[in-house]
Amino acid sequence: NLYALDVFLPDRNCVMEIQGPHHFYGGTRELIASTLLRSQILEQTYQVVHLKFFDFPAEEEDRRRFVLSGLPS
């Protein structure tokens, strides 16, 4: 299977996944099965950072810090 990745950082062997509303069961914060499976597959090879849409700050500068804070060192 091939997956499109939101952000791939090859020098860190890291994938960042932005999980928008379509990754969750309607009106909940529970990830759908296909997203969970995809994450398990990716985590066998990469360090995966999950960024959920409902955790994103409202202000652009705060969003930038939020994304950067998820990056591995």
Side-chain angles (χ1 to χ4, degrees), residues 4-56:
L5 304 172
D6 292 328
V7 178
F8 177 52
L9 304 166
D11 58 321
R12 298 179 186 206
N13 198 44
C14 178
V15 171
M16 295 186 84
E17 286 294 296
I18 313 300
Q19 295 171 326
H22 63 281
H23 287 277
F24 299 88
Y25 288 110
T28 74
R29 292 185 175 207
E30 182 181 355
L31 290 167
I32 61 174
S34 60
T35 296
L36 290 171
L37 177 61
R38 182 176 193 269
S39 293
Q40 290 173 349
I41 291 168
L42 289 172
E43 288 168 356
Q44 292 176 8
T45 306
Y46 305 106
Q47 181 170 357
V48 181
V49 176
H50 303 278
L51 302 173
K52 296 169 178 65
F53 79 99
F54 48 77
D55 291 334
F56 269 75

